[in-house]
Amino acid sequence: MTKFNLCFNCMQEGHKTCDCPNPHYCKQCKKHDHTLLHRNHRDQMSRAPEIEANSTQCEETSSSPTEPKEGSYCSFKEQRASQVLLATATIKVTDSRGVQQLCRVLLDKSSQSSFITEAFAQLLQLKRRHNEMPITGINNTCSAATHSIDIKFSSKDNKYSNVVTCFILPNLMGNMPSSVIDITNTTLKVPKGITLAN
């Protein structure tokens, strides 16, 4: 927390705990710090970061100037976790019988090729081509695709359609995000008229 200059109450930048405008208090000890930083709460968490806690003085004006108020000082030995939302869209893909199957796609603007999972390729039952292609990713990790298929896809919201060659892989990614993100509250403001992919 100290390394990133974060408030111990709201965990945001730009102010000290004693100047925090957030009215919430720790649910465990009722002090002006975040519940996640409380020792009993941390002990219950299986993957809680290692924390050093010390007592320090908080520079705040009080009715008695000679008596400083006491606050909390903590420092994380682990970087704070964050969630990243990846761009996705829902499209319709035509299978071998002419039936349109709904498919969620990950839009990766830095990728030079298109990929499809083995499971979805089997569902489509389209003709495969033997087409070996090495795939290099972050930290120079390498894998390879051995087959590809051509898929015809279309938008589910307008008349746009196209054909793209997809290389078949067992999996494209793990489950993301790793926790539920509530998009109904005010933290994520989606403009009116925007249809979300999922």
Side-chain angles (χ1 to χ4, degrees):
M1 299 289 283
T2 305
K3 180 180 177 182
F4 295 104
N5 294 319
L6 301 178
C7 168
F8 295 109
N9 185 43
C10 68
M11 298 186 180
Q12 299 294 315
E13 296 178 283
H15 60 271
K16 295 180 181 180
T17 306
C18 56
D19 299 323
C20 182
N22 190 327
H24 298 290
Y25 289 84
C26 173
K27 293 175 184 168
Q28 302 283 334
C29 66
K30 308 296 183 210
K31 290 186 179 176
H32 203 59
D33 55 17
H34 201 282
T35 304
L36 292 175
L37 299 176
H38 193 273
R39 183 174 184 86
N40 291 345
H41 184 80
R42 290 195 323 262
D43 292 343
Q44 292 171 4
M45 296 172 65
S46 60
R47 295 182 63 195
E50 193 177 327
I51 297 177
E52 296 173 356
N54 297 314
S55 180
T56 187
Q57 292 181 346
C58 190
E59 297 171 14
E60 182 176 322
T61 308
S62 65
S63 55
S64 123
T66 57
E67 189 179 294
K69 291 191 177 179
E70 192 176 80
S72 296
Y73 167 80
C74 296
S75 64
F76 279 96
K77 289 187 176 177
E78 190 172 279
Q79 220 172 4
R80 40 181 188 152
S82 62
Q83 292 293 331
V84 176
L85 296 178
L86 302 175
T88 62
T90 305
I91 61 172
K92 296 182 287 188
V93 180
T94 307
D95 67 16
S96 60
R97 296 164 293 149
V99 177
Q100 292 186 321
Q101 305 286 344
L102 280 180
C103 173
R104 184 174 58 166
V105 295
L106 170 64
L107 305 172
D108 183 354
K109 63 182 180 180
S110 63
S111 179
Q112 296 175 336
S113 300
S114 297
F115 302 94
I116 189 171
T117 62
E118 176 66 40
F120 195 63
Q122 287 182 13
L123 176 72
L124 296 176
Q125 292 292 303
L126 296 170
K127 184 180 177 183
R128 298 177 183 225
R129 287 189 310 277
H130 184 74
N131 195 353
E132 291 200 26
M133 186 188 77
I135 303 164
T136 305
I138 193 166
N139 200 26
N140 230 10
T141 55
C142 295
S143 61
T146 57
H147 291 85
S148 66
I149 58 174
D150 292 333
I151 65 166
K152 180 181 179 183
F153 70 92
S154 59
S155 168
K156 67 182 188 74
D157 298 317
N158 57 47
K159 294 181 180 180
Y160 177 81
S161 66
N162 207 338
V163 175
V164 65
T165 299
C166 293
F167 291 92
I168 304 169
L169 292 174
N171 294 295
L172 300 184
M173 58 186 289
N175 290 331
M176 290 188 73
S178 57
S179 61
V180 176
I181 297 175
D182 183 12
I183 62 165
T184 60
N185 62 20
T186 56
T187 57
L188 184 63
K189 295 180 180 175
V190 180
K192 290 181 180 177
I194 299 295
T195 305
L196 295 178
N198 19 19

